[in-house]
Amino acid sequence: MRIIVYGSLRRKQGNSHWMTNGQWLGDHQIDGYALYSFGHYPGVVAGEGKVWCEVYRIDASTLGELDALRTKGGEYKRELVQTPYGSAWLYVYQRSVAGRERIDSGDWLQRDSNK
């Protein structure tokens, strides 16, 4: 199975250790989503824009761990999206983004240039 990550799970980010057992397949840009900052981590919601991501092949155990990390409390929900590497799970933010900073570049690694 594959997962597409856009924020703290990306390489050299705070939660990238969760992807240690995953196989990096490549970078991808998804259309139809907007990226928002929630301080130390981001969230994507359906909307106008593009979001820069990384696609990984992971096992069921890793997906279970990521689900526990991301879907606990209903903050995120998994959604299947298409990538050049096949379909992949994307964690979509489920709460309001009102008053939150949108990352216009769509790239969490470039968030500081948003200011």
Side-chain angles (χ1 to χ4, degrees):
M1 70 191 65
R2 287 169 293 279
I3 189 161
I4 187 165
V5 299
Y6 51 83
S8 65
L9 293 171
R10 287 175 69 182
R11 290 173 287 175
K12 299 180 183 176
Q13 296 301 297
N15 284 323
S16 62
H17 63 277
W18 290 96
M19 305 309 296
T20 302
N21 293 328
Q23 175 191 6
W24 178 75
L25 299 175
D27 296 322
H28 180 58
Q29 185 178 7
I30 55 172
D31 295 325
Y33 291 90
L35 182 68
Y36 286 85
S37 175
F38 298 97
H40 296 296
Y41 64 96
V44 298
V45 296
E48 284 191 30
K50 297 178 183 200
V51 178
W52 295 94
C53 305
E54 297 171 0
V55 182
Y56 290 85
R57 183 181 317 281
I58 59 171
D59 60 22
S61 175
T62 301
L63 184 64
E65 291 171 351
L66 292 174
D67 277 350
L69 177 72
R70 293 288 180 229
T71 61
K72 179 180 165 184
E75 194 171 21
Y76 293 88
K77 166 179 102 167
R78 266 196 287 130
E79 184 175 296
L80 207 53
V81 297
Q82 295 305 312
T83 78
Y85 312 99
S87 57
W89 290 110
L90 171 71
Y91 287 101
V92 179
Y93 193 74
Q94 296 298 296
R95 297 184 180 155
S96 172
V97 295
R100 298 296 186 161
E101 177 186 10
R102 180 175 174 164
I103 308 300
D104 296 325
S105 69
D107 188 346
W108 179 247
L109 303 182
Q110 301 298 319
R111 65 190 175 275
D112 291 334
S113 64
N114 206 46
K115 298 174 181 170

